Amino acid sequence: MKKTISFITENFNKSSPDLVGGFQGFQRAINMEKEDIIQEIVLSGLKGRGGAKYPTGKKLMQSAEHHDKEKYIICNADEGEPGTFKDRELLLHDPYGVFEGMLIAAFAINASHGILYLREEYKYMIDDLKNALNHMRSLNLLGDRILKTELSFDISIFLGAGAYICGEETSLIESMEGKPGRPRIKPPYTLEKGLFSKPTLVNNVATFSTISAIIRNGYEEFIKYGTVESPGTKLISLCGNVNKPGAYEVPFGMTIREIIYDIGEGIRNGNSFKFAQIGGVSGPLVLPKHIDTPFSYEDLNEIGVPMGSGAIIVVDSDNDILDYLDAVQAFFKHESCGKCTPCREGNRQLLNILSRLREGKYSQEDTINIEKIAKTMKYASFCGLGQSAPAALLSAIEHCPQEIFKRRD
Amino acid sequence: MDELLITKIQDIIKKYGKDREYLIPILKKIQKLNRYNYIPQEVSQYLAKYMQLKESEVYEVISFYAEFSETPRGENIIKVCDSTVCRVNNNTETIKLLESLLSIKMGETTQDKNFSLEYSPCFGACDISPAMRINGKTYGNLDKKSLKEIIESYRR
Ligand SMILES: Cc1cc2nc3c(=O)[nH]c(=O)nc-3n(C[C@H](O)[C@H](O)[C@H](O)COP(=O)(O)O)c2cc1C
Ligand code: SF4
Ligand code: FES
């Protein structure tokens, strides 16, 4: 049985807009009422694929309420969450699908400027992306009065400079304004005051791709897949110790076991499953007892796991949890923007304690402090980075303390 | 600073404009002018003056983003991913091999200034892990044989 789907990925590697159904989604959109376009997205149940799972239709609706002449749409391609490469695949294999989603959104909310915020690490794609945009310009799919509608809209590319925190939308905007990417206080929300204080809609790459696939095929086709509460499909990034890592489009509701063993063709060397981390490194560990959990917002929520970016990192029995947690915390220490104390200091302290735990030479105080620091970070950090940085560690302490506290003296 | 460098910097700024929003693309271009992949202090001071920004405004951007450096680095920058997926795919072996091939430790630059060896957070090549980047180009599924070949191809 074929388990992956080609709904969002339908046009992978069919690279020209004249060949690929000629921007059918956008063609359909410009013959619809704007409210109806947004309504279709609402009915599709699509939630933001960047990790915060905000309903996309609702966001479009709120964004449409702002009538400024200058209005920005930003496609967030900062994709920095370890284990995640779905946006990379979409931009490599169907950039037009991403740009078409931006166009549809621009038409629906009357935006004036589009920007693709591309992480520095994906710079190798920039020539192809620019060519795609030029091709669209030559077909009047960008520019003035696009296809004789009242929409005038163009898309430019802003290249990041290497900072995970810039994936957070207000940091991203700060960086586009020429500043260090430190998150802003909210409100005001970016929908109202974003880039250069103008209304700004920020969505993830995969959200835009999904918008174009939904409008092209009709939302009814999308919701044929998935579960009632998580309709449709999602592009996941499966990696770690699986035999066949890759980006796969799956319907919501498939179990984690099916994803690992049927799609990923199981674990290397026939090893056993130790744990997985879903949504990158910002979530708790998923243990063997949860392997039959369906991959859907509601089922993951039951076991306290956010879907995040949709990455699934699989770790086998050859690995040590403490070593893994060290990589997690080192990542967050490196990427903390330094704005608030719990995150800036917390990650550093946790790494210190982890290093003593790895040596098996730790004090009684360490065993108490580790949890104290982690919880302070979780509850007192300014933004999502610091709040989720200790999630993996806290879950490991709760579920497998015997692997964390192993005295060797 | 020599005249030629000043002209080059001015040309870059003219191409973008003096607004702060162009600082990051301008810094990218300016760092490229330097053979050793960094932005010398005198250059950032000059830039601040020319763009009418505070020195601290330029400096904090240089120090915030991983792409920029205030100190000289090797001509070829090797960034080895040390995030979780590469860690579980035995990147410690990759690191050991690189250190022995180049006779330097992580974080160091070779004596001839040809290579710098740096840790890097995940750059989205987890499906071909363990992975590294050299001057922005990604290499994956690294093993003893491929590592040796890749490094050889960058030797002067
Ligand atoms: C620390 C942090 C990092 C983030 N990184 C990304 C990212 O790389 N890509 C992304 O689309 N959203 C990222 N987000 C979420 C964005 O802030 C924002 O919610 C998202 O881009 C909105 O798009 P969506 O509604 O389509 O998901 C991040 C959030 C936080 C707190
Ligand atoms: S939680 Fe971390 S990344 Fe977020 S504002 Fe605080 S220091 Fe910066
Ligand atoms: S974890 Fe190494 S490239 Fe993603």
Side-chain angles (χ1 to χ4, degrees), chain A residues 80-85 88-89 117 119-124 158-163 165-166 171 174-182 196 238-241 245-246 268 277 281 313-315 319 323-324 326-328 330-331 334-335 337 358, chain B residues 15-16 19-25 27-29 32 53 56-68 79 81-92 118-129 133 135-138 141:
Chain A
E81 187 68 48
T84 312
F85 44 87
R88 180 197 79 192
E89 290 297 285
Y117 187 102
R119 69 181 305 204
E120 183 271 328
E121 293 80 350
Y122 290 170
K123 187 178 166 188
Y124 59 85
F158 186 95
L159 200 54
I165 187 62
C166 288
S171 303
E174 285 285 296
S175 110
M176 288 186 56
E177 294 181 357
K179 294 177 254 176
R182 297 205 174 87
F196 307 127
L238 180 62
C239 56
N241 301 138
R268 64 171 181 185
Q277 206 179 6
V281 293
I313 303 172
V314 179
V315 182
N319 288 285
D323 194 33
Y324 186 86
D326 176 72
V328 172
F331 173 78
H334 188 262
E335 296 303 324
C337 83
R358 287 168 84 194
Chain B
K15 192 180 148 233
Y16 286 96
D19 296 320
R20 190 174 180 184
E21 59 179 285
Y22 303 117
L23 186 56
I24 290 176
L27 285 171
K28 279 173 187 276
K29 287 253 151 68
K32 276 229 180 69
L53 294 170
S56 62
E57 287 172 340
V58 175
Y59 184 76
E60 65 176 357
V61 167
I62 296 175
S63 61
F64 187 84
Y65 294 97
E67 187 181 351
F68 303 131
K79 290 183 176 247
C81 176
D82 193 31
S83 289
T84 55
V85 183
C86 289
R87 189 77 76 94
V88 302
N89 280 313
N90 210 6
N91 74 340
T92 40
E118 301 177 357
Y119 284 114
S120 163
C122 170
F123 41 82
C126 331
D127 52 342
I128 50 166
S129 156
R133 296 200 303 151
N135 310 332
K137 187 171 163 34
T138 302
N141 295 323

Side-chain angles (χ1 to χ4, degrees), chain A residues 193-383:
Chain A
K193 268 191 169 59
L195 184 63
F196 307 127
S197 298
K198 298 281 189 261
T200 304
L201 175 78
V202 184
N203 277 118
N204 175 253
V205 173
T207 308
F208 284 117
S209 296
T210 311
I211 289 177
S212 58
I214 290 169
I215 299 297
R216 180 167 67 241
N217 297 291
Y219 80 94
E220 300 91 338
E221 292 301 311
F222 185 65
I223 63 173
K224 280 184 186 161
Y225 303 105
T227 67
V228 176
E229 284 174 70
S230 307
T233 66
K234 180 167 191 344
L235 197 59
I236 57 165
S237 322
L238 180 62
C239 56
N241 301 138
V242 285
N243 283 319
K244 225 174 130 230
Y248 301 102
E249 184 177 351
V250 300
F252 285 114
M254 188 180 265
T255 66
I256 297 168
R257 184 191 297 278
E258 287 174 297
I259 292 176
I260 296 174
Y261 288 92
D262 296 344
I263 295 181
E265 294 182 2
I267 293 176
R268 64 171 181 185
N269 307 329
N271 282 353
S272 61
F273 171 85
K274 186 157 183 168
F275 62 87
Q277 206 179 6
I278 290 185
V281 293
S282 307
L285 304 182
V286 176
L287 301 163
K289 64 179 173 189
H290 292 135
I291 195 169
D292 288 307
T293 307
F295 186 79
S296 72
Y297 289 106
E298 64 278 14
D299 292 295
L300 289 178
N301 194 38
E302 284 279 305
I303 59 166
V305 173
M307 184 170 300
S309 65
I312 301 180
I313 303 172
V314 179
V315 182
D316 73 11
S317 45
D318 278 355
N319 288 285
D320 178 52
I321 290 196
L322 280 172
D323 194 33
Y324 186 86
L325 292 172
D326 176 72
V328 172
Q329 237 57 56
F331 173 78
F332 285 116
K333 174 179 173 259
H334 188 262
E335 296 303 324
S336 167
C337 83
K339 179 176 177 133
C340 70
T341 317
C343 170
R344 186 185 60 236
E345 290 304 315
N347 282 306
R348 206 170 56 83
Q349 301 283 358
L350 289 183
L351 263 180
N352 288 343
I353 299 179
L354 275 170
S355 117
R356 292 195 285 274
L357 289 169
R358 287 168 84 194
E359 284 171 20
K361 294 190 176 123
Y362 54 92
S363 66
Q364 185 62 31
E365 267 186 323
D366 284 339
T367 63
I368 299 165
N369 284 344
I370 192 168
E371 236 180 309
K372 232 191 209 161
I373 296 165
K375 287 196 172 140
T376 309
M377 291 169 67
K378 179 175 172 181
Y379 296 111
S381 290
F382 182 81
C383 85

Side-chain angles (χ1 to χ4, degrees), chain B residues 5 8 11 23-25 34 71 75 82 96 107 109 112 117 124 127 135 148 156:
Chain B
L5 181 58
K8 279 186 184 160
D11 285 347
L23 186 56
I24 290 176
N34 189 292
T71 48
E75 280 186 66
D82 193 31
K96 268 193 218 144
T109 298
D112 63 0
L117 203 46
D127 52 342
N135 310 332
K148 218 170 157 183
R156 292 199 272 256

Side-chain angles (χ1 to χ4, degrees), chain B residues 40-104:
Chain B
Q41 199 183 4
E42 53 188 22
V43 171
S44 49
Q45 281 167 348
Y46 177 80
L47 184 69
K49 211 169 104 200
Y50 197 81
M51 289 182 75
Q52 293 171 333
L53 294 170
K54 292 192 198 113
E55 269 177 38
S56 62
E57 287 172 340
V58 175
Y59 184 76
E60 65 176 357
V61 167
I62 296 175
S63 61
F64 187 84
Y65 294 97
E67 187 181 351
F68 303 131
S69 173
E70 308 132 44
T71 48
R73 295 183 283 179
E75 280 186 66
N76 297 299
I77 298 177
I78 306 174
K79 290 183 176 247
V80 192
C81 176
D82 193 31
S83 289
T84 55
V85 183
C86 289
R87 189 77 76 94
V88 302
N89 280 313
N90 210 6
N91 74 340
T92 40
E93 201 52 38
T94 311
I95 291 167
K96 268 193 218 144
L97 281 166
L98 279 169
E99 287 182 333
S100 94
L101 279 170
L102 298 168
S103 311
I104 50 171

Side-chain angles (χ1 to χ4, degrees), chain A residues 114-160:
Chain A
I115 298 146
L116 175 72
Y117 187 102
L118 187 69
R119 69 181 305 204
E120 183 271 328
E121 293 80 350
Y122 290 170
K123 187 178 166 188
Y124 59 85
M125 297 184 205
I126 203 164
D127 289 339
D128 288 342
L129 293 170
K130 281 184 174 164
N131 287 340
L133 290 172
N134 279 333
H135 192 52
M136 285 171 68
R137 282 182 199 114
S138 73
L139 298 170
N140 187 224
L141 283 163
L142 288 175
D144 287 336
R145 307 215 40 178
I146 296 174
L147 304 188
K148 302 200 173 68
T149 63
E150 81 278 28
L151 177 70
S152 293
F153 182 77
D154 209 325
I155 298 175
S156 58
I157 300 177
F158 186 95
L159 200 54

Side-chain angles (χ1 to χ4, degrees), chain A residues 47-54 56 59 76-81 86-87 164-170 186 202-205 207 383-385:
Chain A
K47 288 179 183 157
R49 299 296 195 234
K53 62 174 186 181
Y54 194 81
T56 307
K59 201 151 143 185
N76 188 342
D78 196 49
E79 187 161 72
E81 187 68 48
K86 66 180 193 333
D87 299 344
Y164 165 71
I165 187 62
C166 288
E168 195 281 332
E169 58 184 34
T170 62
K186 298 182 214 177
V202 184
N203 277 118
N204 175 253
V205 173
T207 308
C383 85
L385 189 153

